[in-house]
Amino acid sequence: MTATPPSWRDHRDRATTAPPVPAPGDAAFYLEIGEFQGAAYARNAFTAGTAEEAGTLTELLGLAAGDRVLDVGCGDGRHLRWLADRGIGGTGVDVSPALVDAGRSAATLAGVAHLVDLEVADARELVAWLGDRAGTFDVAWSLCQGALGTSPVSDPAVVAGLAAAVRPGGAVAFTCFHALFAARHLAPGDAFDTVGLVHHQRTEIRGPDHARRSTELWTAAYTVRDAVALARRSGLEPVSVRGVEPGAYGRRGDGEVALDDPEVLVLARRPSPR
């Protein structure tokens, strides 16, 4: 464990402390959350935005029946089920076996299991997981801090995996926690590292039978400039950015990011050979 950096601030801009940010080799802290929630993941308030998010991305990325999408940090595969209803096949990966099991059951119940393939994998090791599947997807994305944003150290590996997943000319989309929003809206008990741009909070999650559990969350935050640089670092060509929030991906136009937008959506493409 390393010492807490002196740059952590609380909601009143006073010096504070926070648990050390998980290192790249540490177990993914989302694993415990996913295992606790399982099928109860679908009760999270943010899942109500699934149709708007997937619909907006379908339009922005020009998705059509027959295309193949990779969803990294897919949770229970909610976005993929929406796509499958429109003939768009997809593969989802999540670090939590319980969420993958819940997603498979939901896809079967919805009658779209033939178009939705869910697998257990760590997003930080996505390039290795891809193997022969590298370069075979039309689109790869990571949304709602399902995989990207959990660590400023390992985030580049996640985006590198997204870039490796798509064919030349294929599209990549990812959302980042917006650093300006994070600093502007710290709540009592939160902490923000003004140098490392990491937000820490302790939150309550709900599982089956209304069970509750308190857990720690660390979220790497990005300015628009840093988010675009993250895409370029993986050899992607940024196409556009916009401010978004769960369930409202289409409310802003390209290049429009407000201080109160909690996330930044980056759209990019893998260059085609010249």
Side-chain angles (χ1 to χ4, degrees), residues 94-249:
D94 199 277
V95 73
S96 167
L99 289 182
V100 168
D101 287 345
R104 288 170 177 166
S105 296
T108 298
L109 186 63
V112 295
H114 61 295
L115 286 173
V116 178
D117 175 34
L118 301 181
E119 300 186 26
V120 177
D122 191 320
R124 298 171 296 183
E125 301 170 2
L126 188 59
V127 171
W129 173 85
L130 282 167
D132 293 340
R133 290 176 281 200
T136 64
F137 294 93
D138 299 293
V139 171
W141 66 40
S142 182
L143 310 174
C144 302
Q145 284 72 59
L148 182 69
T150 59
S151 168
V153 178
S154 56
D155 280 353
V158 178
V159 178
L162 295 174
V166 298
R167 58 174 172 75
V172 167
F174 60 84
T175 59
C176 296
F177 191 33
H178 187 198
L180 302 184
F181 173 91
R184 186 178 170 96
H185 293 287
L186 282 180
D190 289 359
F192 187 72
D193 180 359
T194 58
V195 174
L197 299 186
V198 177
H199 178 269
H200 173 267
Q201 68 178 141
R202 175 165 282 278
T203 190
E204 183 180 82
I205 57 174
R206 299 187 180 188
D209 301 320
H210 306 289
R212 300 184 181 190
R213 180 180 296 179
S214 180
T215 189
E216 309 268 4
L217 295 178
W218 294 264
T219 309
Y222 292 83
T223 65
V224 171
R225 181 174 58 190
D226 290 341
V228 169
L230 193 61
R232 289 197 173 114
R233 180 173 175 178
S234 292
L236 295 167
E237 294 178 346
V239 174
S240 69
V241 295
R242 63 176 61 195
V244 299
E245 67 176 289
Y249 280 19

Side-chain angles (χ1 to χ4, degrees), residues 37 56 76 87 131 142 191 226 258:
Q37 289 196 309
T56 298
D76 69 352
S142 182
D226 290 341

